[in-house]
């Protein structure tokens, strides 16, 4: 029978694996390379890590504080959407090292939260957003699974970008 400690260990191990795969896509890159778009999308490696950092930070805050920390996505202005889009790009004053440091700090905070959460079944209502069903609640567990899924998905994007950049692969 799986214990709560086993479940937490599984969540932490899975998240750590996907974080490492994402970080690995940036090995030996310059700031300029980390900011390059290599596909038709707006995505770059540094921007993906910035985005995953923000996703992890926002969703862990949601676990503790509820939907108010994320805002009402149905009320976002064009300026709000532009700020959100900038999250996917490295800005001229940003460095890959700083982006990776911010990601590592967010990861440490998430890992600490997972270790001390009193109940993975505790729920919060989802923030208002066009992509969420109204009156839906997510447990802390479901939210952590979402963070893992986001990290894994964007790790795959990062692998494609890196391979397009210089032929390097995360795996294989």
């Amino acid at each position: 029978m799986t214990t709560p400690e086993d479940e937490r260990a599984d969540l932490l191990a899975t998240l750590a694996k996907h974080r490492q795969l994402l970080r690995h896509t940036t090995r030996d890159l310059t700031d300029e390379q980390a900011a390059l778009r290599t596909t038709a999308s707006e995505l770059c490696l540094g921007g993906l890590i910035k985005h995953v950092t923000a996703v992890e930070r926002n969703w862990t805050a949601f676990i503790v504080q509820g939907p108010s920390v994320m805002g009402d996505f149905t009320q976002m202005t064009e300026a709000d959407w532009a700020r959100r889009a900038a999250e996917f790009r490295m800005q001229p004053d940003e460095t890959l090292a700083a982006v990776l440091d911010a990601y590592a700090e967010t990861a440490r905070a998430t890992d600490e939260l997972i270790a001390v959460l009193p109940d993975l079944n505790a729920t919060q209502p989802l923030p208002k957003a066009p992509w969420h069903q109204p009156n839906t609640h997510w447990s802390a567990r479901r939210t952590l699974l979402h963070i893992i899924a986001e990290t894994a998905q964007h790790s795959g994007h990062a692998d494609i970008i890196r391979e397009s950049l210089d032929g390097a692969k995360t795996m294989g």
Side-chain angles (χ1 to χ4, degrees):
M1 185 156 124
T2 302
T3 67
E5 293 78 23
D6 293 337
E7 182 178 14
R8 289 170 200 271
D10 287 346
L11 290 167
L12 287 166
T14 303
L15 188 51
K17 174 187 174 185
H18 291 293
R19 285 181 187 136
Q20 189 279 327
L21 289 170
L22 177 59
R23 290 178 67 94
H24 190 64
T25 64
T26 66
R27 69 196 176 283
D28 303 322
L29 292 182
T30 65
D31 295 338
E32 293 76 20
Q33 289 171 311
L36 282 176
R37 292 176 43 213
T38 62
T39 66
S41 80
E42 290 290 324
L43 302 177
C44 67
L45 292 172
L48 276 172
I49 292 176
K50 282 176 51 181
H51 171 68
V52 171
T53 300
V55 163
E56 191 167 322
R57 189 180 307 121
N58 290 338
W59 282 109
T60 55
F62 164 82
I63 290 170
V64 176
Q65 300 171 39
S68 63
V69 298
M70 298 181 86
D72 181 344
F73 290 94
T74 65
Q75 300 297 313
M76 287 180 63
T77 65
E78 283 188 41
D80 294 329
W81 287 111
R83 278 191 295 281
R84 185 175 166 95
E87 179 181 284
F88 286 94
R89 295 184 296 274
M90 278 186 57
Q91 303 304 311
D93 63 332
E94 293 176 317
T95 66
L96 179 58
V99 168
L100 290 169
D101 286 348
Y103 188 39
E105 180 55 37
T106 296
R108 277 190 292 280
T110 299
D111 292 353
E112 289 172 13
L113 176 65
I114 292 170
V116 300
L117 277 172
D119 184 3
L120 292 174
N121 292 315
T123 65
Q124 297 280 7
L126 288 177
K128 288 184 181 178
W131 49 86
H132 293 155
Q133 292 291 326
N135 303 314
T136 301
H137 291 69
W138 276 5
S139 67
R141 176 185 300 99
R142 172 66 184 89
T143 305
L144 293 168
L145 291 171
H146 177 69
I147 292 169
I148 292 168
E150 282 273 332
T151 306
Q153 178 180 10
H154 291 309
S155 179
H157 294 146
D159 199 34
I160 291 167
I161 292 168
R162 178 61 191 258
E163 189 172 358
S164 298
L165 181 66
D166 64 4
K169 298 178 185 177
T170 303
M171 297 172 59

